[in-house]
Amino acid sequence: MAAHFGRLRKGATTTAVAAVAVAALSASQAPGVTTDDLGRQAAGAAQPSGDANTGGAGGGATGDSPYYTDLPPLKSPNPSPSASPTTGTTVSVGEAEAGIPATVLDAYKKAEAELRASKPGCNLPWQLLAAIGKVESGQARGGRVDASGTTYSPILGPKLDGNGFALIADTDHGAYDGDPAYDRAVGPMQFIPSTWEWAGRDGNGDGKKDPNNVYDAALAAGHYLCRFDRDLSVRSQMNAAILNYNNSTEYLNTVLSWLEYYRKGTHEVPDGTGTLPSHSSNSDPGASPSPTTPATPSTPSTPSTPSMPSTPKPGGGGSTSPTPKPPAPSSPAPSPTPPTPTQTVDHLEDANTGKLTATAGSAFGTKVAVRAESKASKGVAKVRVRFTIIGDTDATFTGGESVATVVTGSAGTATAPALVAGEKTGDFTVRATVVGRVLGGLDYTATVTPRQADTLTRTSDTALTCVPGSEFADQVELKATYKGAVAGKVAATATLIKSADDATENDKGPYFKDADGKTIRTLTDLTTDADGVLKLPKLYADDATGTFLLRVNTTGGAVLTVELKVAAAAS
């Protein structure tokens, strides 16, 4: 889609000034991107367009929906509002464009603060969210949001039905965009439903993830830009993130223009009073391309065939008659459009994925790998495969995400990023599906096992003694290791047992106390610290004397029995 970089501002007499500014910015700041073997956008080369029917394969968060192309104004010493001569829409020039509606501005800054805490290495500036919000929806239509940040009416892009846009069949049954046939970009940050389903966030703490809420949408956009451990303070990585959001060099140039403009200074304006853009990437200059009612590109009329000049009739004394027009040639039938790689995929096959098992807190040694094949069982290259983690687990892919999209290589194989186990143990599922096709996916079961220790030792060799009715002076402290390495966060149980051959709980002798001061002789839910150290609570003695045993067990089979001696004091 061609973009029109038109704008109305005081001091610019021609659009050539805007063109020069964009050209300079493009030359210095806007490299293209390529897709690496993990499906990430990387800076350095021109990015080919994605398949139109791949559910946003080349369209990132927005499905390559239209966007506003108005550029920020050149610095004007006398900012003043004016009206567009073509639409009558009131626009502002100069410093008025630096005003951001209060609630919208607050949403961007809160998203930046949350990302600073959860992903500090990303270095997300709120001005980048503001630039994308300006380009995608004109800051939620000039800040037409309620106190909670929800737009008064939905902001919807055009149907992505392949008619001038990407072809993305309905993925949400109309739940987000109200369209049960085709998807549309939704909300202030213009997410397509299939992306919002996994990228959506609750930014205002109301328990919902609403793409029409600017707090939710801004936080989701921040997390989307910060994927793959990107550092947005590095220009090439920022460019890649923006292009991943909407794969267009013109889009990148426009967002970078607003980013630099907002970095020079902004101010808060009341909600509903923000300036509105007036030019869109899918309309002629001067059109009114609100995301709710995108303008349809006009089709030029076919020029009429000029009449042939009349020729004098022989002997007619100068009278003439027109020469008959030749019949119009018939238009050749259009050639059929060849199928895209995605359309040729018939099924997914496993590509020798091994057993998926890892200890809590460690990386899995095996990656999920699948192969996209045609009906003839041949590998299909350049197809996007989505890997999704499903189930009650805190395991993630490298980078902290639960969804990863990977492009198949020349052999048709796509390999998911490495899985990293969290602290929750048990099974979960990794599902592989083809983006843009309704095909059966492949499910893989992954298992997270508890942390283990195979050896327990005391950290001191001091004898543990006590007199009846008193308390032990020293607390029992142990250290756990696994294959010689420190075994941190390993679960353990401590029990005062009857004898070396009888591991049942003793009913006399030393004991622990619970929070209420009551006698207990078994401790559960114990865990070694990060250094593998386990320090037990203080031990007490009743009136019984003799040698007693304390047995400690850990996950993984480590066992240690400790002697406790209770003897009357010497007279």
Side-chain angles (χ1 to χ4, degrees):
M1 294 177 288
H4 301 287
F5 290 89
R7 54 182 173 178
L8 296 173
R9 57 176 176 76
K10 197 170 185 178
T13 56
T14 68
T15 56
V17 177
V20 170
V22 172
L25 183 65
S26 176
S28 63
Q29 299 175 337
V33 295
T34 57
T35 305
D36 66 14
D37 61 345
L38 293 181
R40 305 176 185 180
Q41 300 283 1
Q47 170 70 13
S49 299
D51 296 336
N53 72 329
T54 57
T62 70
D64 284 345
S65 293
Y67 56 91
Y68 288 115
T69 57
D70 299 58
L71 291 173
L74 298 178
K75 185 176 182 181
S76 173
N78 299 305
S80 60
S82 62
S84 166
T86 55
T87 66
T89 303
T90 299
V91 296
S92 295
V93 295
E95 293 180 352
E97 282 288 357
I100 299 177
T103 300
V104 178
L105 181 60
D106 185 57
Y108 297 150
K109 291 185 176 181
K110 284 187 175 178
E112 180 200 56
E114 196 281 339
L115 267 299
R116 192 185 303 122
S118 62
K119 296 184 178 180
C122 178
N123 294 305
L124 171 74
W126 67 260
Q127 292 90 342
L128 176 57
L129 296 176
I132 291 175
K134 179 71 172 181
V135 170
E136 292 293 351
S137 67
Q139 310 296 21
R141 295 200 208 97
R144 296 189 70 251
V145 297
D146 62 21
S148 69
T150 301
T151 57
Y152 288 116
S153 58
I155 301 177
L156 300 175
K159 292 182 178 181
L160 298 176
D161 58 3
N163 185 19
F165 312 108
L167 173 59
I168 305 180
D170 176 68
T171 61
D172 65 329
H173 304 291
Y176 294 119
D177 56 14
D179 191 332
Y182 299 97
D183 274 354
R184 298 179 177 216
V186 183
M189 304 304 275
Q190 290 289 277
F191 279 92
I192 55 174
S194 58
T195 301
W196 183 261
E197 189 63 28
W198 60 266
R201 296 291 196 279
D202 177 14
N204 63 351
D206 64 355
K208 298 183 294 184
K209 300 175 183 178
D210 182 3
N212 287 301
N213 182 279
V214 69
Y215 287 98
D216 295 359
L219 184 58
H223 278 280
Y224 189 95
L225 294 166
C226 287
R227 294 184 305 159
F228 310 128
D229 287 332
R230 288 192 180 107
D231 180 358
L232 300 186
S233 65
V234 178
R235 180 50 62 96
S236 62
Q237 295 189 38
M238 177 186 286
N239 291 349
I242 297 170
L243 285 164
N244 200 190
Y245 203 91
N246 190 318
N247 188 16
S248 161
T249 302
E250 290 86 355
Y251 181 86
L252 172 65
N253 292 338
T254 308
V255 169
L256 289 176
S257 297
W258 283 105
L259 170 62
E260 296 307 316
Y261 182 74
Y262 286 143
R263 276 177 165 167
K264 293 176 182 177
T266 61
H267 59 274
E268 180 180 299
V269 299
D271 289 344
T273 65
T275 58
L276 298 176
S278 56
H279 299 80
S280 173
S281 61
N282 75 308
S283 65
D284 293 331
S288 181
S290 167
T292 53
T293 54
T296 303
S298 59
T299 304
S301 58
T302 304
S304 58
T305 304
S307 302
M308 299 294 291
S310 58
T311 47
K313 296 172 66 177
S319 63
T320 61
S321 62
T323 303
K325 298 178 182 178
S330 59
S331 299
S335 58
T337 302
T340 64
T342 301
Q343 290 172 324
T344 65
V345 177
D346 179 71
H347 59 275
L348 288 175
E349 286 288 337
D350 176 56
N352 299 318
T353 300
K355 188 175 182 180
L356 298 169
T357 303
T359 302
S362 64
F364 284 74
T366 300
K367 296 180 180 180
V368 178
V370 299
R371 175 178 153 97
E373 294 185 352
S374 64
K375 285 186 178 180
S377 296
K378 292 184 177 181
V380 182
K382 298 182 181 179
V383 173
R384 287 186 176 262
V385 176
R386 179 174 293 151
F387 298 94
T388 306
I389 296 174
I390 301 171
D392 183 18
T393 180
D394 53 356
T396 64
F397 292 113
T398 301
E401 302 294 336
S402 60
V403 177
T405 302
V406 181
V407 179
T408 58
S410 58
T413 301
T415 302
L419 284 165
V420 179
E423 295 303 322
K424 288 185 178 180
T425 60
D427 294 344
F428 64 93
T429 299
V430 179
R431 179 168 297 164
T433 55
V434 176
V435 178
R437 289 296 304 276
V438 182
L439 296 173
L442 291 181
D443 284 356
Y444 294 85
T445 298
T447 303
V448 179
T449 59
R451 297 172 185 264
Q452 303 177 53
D454 55 16
T455 304
L456 276 173
T457 57
R458 282 191 64 196
T459 60
S460 170
D461 56 4
T462 302
L464 298 166
T465 61
C466 181
V467 297
S470 185
E471 63 185 43
F472 286 81
D474 297 307
Q475 291 176 246
V476 178
E477 185 176 273
L478 313 172
K479 185 164 186 177
T481 57
Y482 183 70
K483 296 182 178 179
V486 168
K489 299 182 180 180
V490 175
T493 301
T495 305
L496 290 151
I497 61 175
K498 290 185 175 180
S499 69
D501 299 323
D502 186 355
T504 58
E505 182 180 290
N506 206 341
D507 56 1
K508 61 181 179 179
Y511 61 91
F512 300 104
K513 291 183 180 180
D514 64 12
D516 298 324
K518 295 180 180 179
T519 298
I520 56 172
R521 289 189 169 89
T522 299
L523 298 176
T524 58
D525 299 326
L526 300 172
T527 306
T528 63
D529 65 16
D531 297 322
V533 175
L534 175 63
K535 190 172 185 177
L536 299 182
K538 185 172 289 188
L539 278 161
Y540 302 85
D542 60 13
D543 294 335
T545 59
T547 299
F548 301 90
L549 300 180
L550 169 67
R551 181 163 292 174
V552 182
N553 302 271
T554 71
T555 304
V559 179
L560 180 66
T561 302
V562 180
E563 285 191 350
L564 307 171
K565 293 184 178 180
V566 181
S571 59

